Amino acid sequence: MSGEQQILAALRPLATDPAARGLLDDAALLDGLVLSHDTIAEGVHYLPDDPPDSVGWKLAAVNLSDLAAKGAAPAGALLSLTLRGDSEWEERFLRGFHAACESYGLPLLGGDTIALPDGAPRVLGLTVLGRAGARTPSRGGGRPGDRLWVAGVLGDSAAGLDCLRRDTKAEGPLVDVYRRPIPQLAAGRALAGVANAMMDVSDGLLLDAARLADASGCGADIALDTLPLSTSFVAERGAGLDARLFAATGGDDYALLCALPAGVDPNATLCLPEGTRMAAVGSLTDGMGIHLTDDGEPVPLPERLGHEHFA
Amino acid sequence: MSGEQQILAALRPLATDPAARGLLDDAALLDGLVLSHDTIAEGVHYLPDDPPDSVGWKLAAVNLSDLAAKGAAPAGALLSLTLRGDSEWEERFLRGFHAACESYGLPLLGGDTIALPDGAPRVLGLTVLGRAGARTPSRGGGRPGDRLWVAGVLGDSAAGLDCLRRDTKAEGPLVDVYRRPIPQLAAGRALAGVANAMMDVSDGLLLDAARLADASGCGADIALDTLPLSTSFVAERGAGLDARLFAATGGDDYALLCALPAGVDPNATLCLPEGTRMAAVGSLTDGMGIHLTDDGEPVPLPERLGHEHFA
């Protein structure tokens, strides 16, 4: 068992309430409210050099992405802020956080602000609450034969981070996606009405698809030649198999991954926001585990399916 | 402005939703749910030597105390756990956390678990949700003439911490109170029905009473000779003015402080849990600021009213 699995195993006996969904989902559902919490730490989830306003934006956006994946509308947030006495950093962080809250209609309702010992890395947490729609798809409702669809593109954020690792002053659209991800709230609301299962792609498509398939008691086939890539991504890294495997395992995408009944074409039947890119990337099977193809030919699984938090 | 006030001033423009209560309260109120979040850090809110199970208990208890102060019944929690690869610490932490959740009927609904860089102090967060009762008193509803009542005793926890600072192996009832505070959920539910204002005493009676009075647009008179002290406290520190000022400023009490209309005697009219100690410690005035007396004689305010998080 990985460290994360071990901790989840220790936590599960505490989470017997049906609202907890067995801790198998990204979000809980209580009294019509979808609840999610994400914590990020300096040096782990963001670079110490990242502009503070982009860290603030990202904290709000990644939490809003969890609401998007459940088809919920933002209702409120509680912010946990650690201070280190650098008030310029904190003001800029709050500016970016505020911008994201304003963009997506997320009211700040409360939270906590604490001091940290000197030199400690910042740890920033956000709890978001959303009003559930008519349906709140879990990770675990997929069925063999469902097609797997991705809303959004893959790999931009990981490619942007890679640019920054090579040059801390790097700029451009890929760096922008890494720093300012867009939560797909409207697409999530539309897809929640028809999806058997849904989650956001935060740790890499292959890892997250494996999680969705596993929670649904299915296997998954993924066709790497169908991955949605942006023109910026292709310009930077090409579209060969290596680039597509990079996009499928990079993480930090905040695209939505959903399992739709085989007959449903979301482009034809749903009212999606202008410009939403929907790609059918594979399907759920009655097997186990995840299997890759490229133009119909089998491709061995890479050693690393995505970002494991306790690798 | 203190650091905390500065950050609150920067946060307030984000918190225009009525559910946020202007960030002036310990909790928000959304769709009939009372929401609160508290974060604690190693070396700031607990000692690195504290037994991990007591840290887990305390994280749950201090958050439950915020629900108690709003008269809400526990409905669920989201836990933010940072890991440092010491799984024995984490297992013991979760054991204590679990014990508190079980004792007070708090289901774990979700949260997040992240790795921290080596050597970083742990930061642990908890969001709690409670179902609101018929009334949810804020800090700011007090009126001149209201009597200030304390449910519980003051100073035990600060005296316990002081024992531990002098001897890390110290034991006894005061250390127990410091390590395992008791949230006064049932008393809070009963008092919420009649209180004009209520909050929990987490940072010291004088500081928290000043906050309640300020939020209510009142001043406050506190009679130091009326403070509720335990026999263990008196045995350890005596009952002189110094000891009472220590008890009034120590913090970490998780007693409840409420403003009741002058005619209401909670001991006579409310169905409080067996053994709940209620003390009338002063009153709200139409003045400003906080004024102390001891046996009717004025006492100058101490320099430090309680635990300021960003002193």
Side-chain angles (χ1 to χ4, degrees):
Chain A
M1 272 205 298
S2 73
E4 184 166 24
Q5 286 172 323
Q6 218 172 339
I7 285 292
L8 278 173
L11 285 168
R12 223 157 261 141
L14 286 70
T16 52
D17 195 284
R21 297 180 156 204
L23 299 187
L24 287 169
D25 211 20
D26 332 56
L29 180 61
L30 181 73
D31 295 1
L33 290 173
V34 171
L35 317 169
S36 182
H37 180 95
D38 270 321
T39 298
I40 60 175
E42 182 182 346
V44 179
H45 301 85
Y46 68 93
L47 306 171
D49 284 342
D50 278 337
D53 58 320
S54 79
V55 179
W57 174 283
K58 198 161 176 171
L59 180 63
V62 303
N63 274 280
L64 285 164
S65 179
D66 285 326
L67 295 185
K70 303 296 119 182
L78 304 174
L79 175 65
S80 166
L81 195 55
T82 53
L83 303 183
R84 251 186 2 208
D86 173 0
S87 66
E88 199 204 317
W89 195 97
E90 282 133 19
E91 273 163 40
R92 290 183 59 198
F93 168 86
L94 286 176
R95 220 144 48 212
F97 178 74
H98 194 172
C101 289
E102 227 171 35
S103 298
Y104 301 105
L106 181 69
L108 180 68
L109 301 184
D112 198 9
T113 306
I114 68 163
L116 277 190
D118 279 349
R122 294 175 199 275
V123 176
L124 304 155
L126 193 70
T127 300
V128 288
L129 301 101
R131 292 206 173 80
R135 296 180 74 236
T136 303
S138 73
R139 285 184 184 188
R143 297 165 205 165
D146 283 352
R147 294 193 81 188
L148 291 172
W149 290 82
V150 168
V153 296
L154 300 171
D156 279 13
S157 179
L161 175 59
D162 199 47
C163 293
L164 285 168
R165 285 209 168 115
R166 279 179 285 123
D167 170 11
T168 57
K169 304 239 176 302
E171 286 183 6
L174 298 172
V175 170
D176 288 349
V177 173
Y178 164 72
R179 288 195 170 144
R180 289 172 77 85
I182 303 295
Q184 308 228 30
L185 286 158
R189 269 201 293 281
L191 290 164
V194 292
N196 287 333
M198 187 151 61
M199 66 188 295
D200 70 336
V201 182
S202 54
D203 292 334
L205 173 69
L206 299 191
L207 184 55
D208 285 329
R211 288 167 174 162
L212 185 149
D214 193 46
S216 299
C218 299
D221 290 341
I222 303 280
L224 293 170
D225 49 297
T226 62
L227 298 191
L229 304 177
S230 74
T231 50
S232 307
F233 180 89
V234 173
E236 174 75 20
R237 306 191 72 102
L241 183 59
D242 277 0
R244 282 175 283 134
L245 279 169
F246 176 88
T249 55
D252 242 6
D253 296 301
Y254 308 106
L256 299 177
L257 171 68
C258 59
L260 302 186
V264 175
D265 176 354
N267 292 306
T269 56
L270 296 180
C271 181
L272 291 165
E274 196 76 34
T276 302
R277 187 157 162 188
M278 294 293 313
V281 300
S283 53
L284 293 180
T285 66
D286 56 10
M288 273 181 73
I290 189 164
H291 301 273
L292 307 185
T293 57
D294 189 36
D295 283 326
E297 295 299 315
V299 172
L301 272 189
E303 211 170 296
R304 179 182 164 283
L305 295 184
H307 178 70
E308 292 267 17
H309 293 261
F310 304 96
Chain B
M1 272 205 296
S2 73
E4 183 166 26
Q5 287 171 322
Q6 219 172 334
I7 285 292
L8 278 173
L11 287 169
R12 224 159 257 139
L14 287 71
T16 52
D17 195 285
R21 296 181 157 202
L23 299 186
L24 287 167
D25 211 22
D26 332 58
L29 181 59
L30 181 74
D31 295 0
L33 289 174
V34 171
L35 316 170
S36 182
H37 180 96
D38 270 320
T39 298
I40 61 175
E42 181 182 346
V44 179
H45 300 85
Y46 67 93
L47 305 172
D49 284 341
D50 278 337
D53 58 318
S54 80
V55 179
W57 173 283
K58 199 162 175 172
L59 180 64
V62 303
N63 274 280
L64 285 164
S65 179
D66 285 326
L67 295 185
K70 303 296 119 180
L78 304 174
L79 174 65
S80 166
L81 195 55
T82 53
L83 303 183
R84 252 188 0 213
D86 174 1
S87 66
E88 198 203 318
W89 194 97
E90 283 131 19
E91 272 163 39
R92 289 182 60 196
F93 168 86
L94 287 176
R95 218 141 52 208
F97 178 74
H98 194 171
C101 289
E102 225 171 36
S103 298
Y104 300 106
L106 180 69
L108 180 68
L109 301 185
D112 198 10
T113 305
I114 67 163
L116 276 189
D118 279 347
R122 292 174 199 275
V123 176
L124 305 155
L126 192 70
T127 299
V128 287
L129 301 102
R131 293 206 173 79
R135 296 181 74 236
T136 303
S138 73
R139 285 186 184 186
R143 295 165 204 165
D146 283 353
R147 295 193 82 189
L148 290 172
W149 291 83
V150 169
V153 296
L154 299 170
D156 279 12
S157 178
L161 174 59
D162 199 48
C163 293
L164 285 168
R165 285 207 169 118
R166 280 177 285 120
D167 170 10
T168 56
K169 303 238 175 305
E171 285 183 6
L174 298 172
V175 170
D176 289 348
V177 172
Y178 164 72
R179 288 194 170 146
R180 290 172 76 86
I182 302 295
Q184 307 228 31
L185 286 158
R189 271 202 292 281
L191 290 164
V194 294
N196 286 332
M198 185 150 62
M199 66 188 295
D200 70 336
V201 181
S202 54
D203 292 335
L205 174 69
L206 299 191
L207 184 55
D208 286 328
R211 289 168 174 162
L212 186 148
D214 195 45
S216 300
C218 298
D221 290 341
I222 303 281
L224 293 170
D225 49 297
T226 62
L227 299 191
L229 304 177
S230 73
T231 50
S232 306
F233 179 90
V234 174
E236 175 74 20
R237 307 191 72 103
L241 184 58
D242 278 0
R244 280 175 285 134
L245 279 169
F246 176 89
T249 55
D252 242 5
D253 295 301
Y254 309 105
L256 299 177
L257 172 67
C258 58
L260 301 186
V264 175
D265 176 354
N267 291 306
T269 56
L270 297 180
C271 181
L272 291 165
E274 195 76 33
T276 304
R277 188 157 161 187
M278 293 295 311
V281 299
S283 52
L284 294 179
T285 67
D286 55 11
M288 271 180 72
I290 189 164
H291 301 273
L292 307 184
T293 58
D294 188 38
D295 283 326
E297 295 298 316
V299 172
L301 273 189
E303 211 170 295
R304 179 182 165 283
L305 295 183
H307 178 70
E308 292 267 18
H309 293 260
F310 306 96

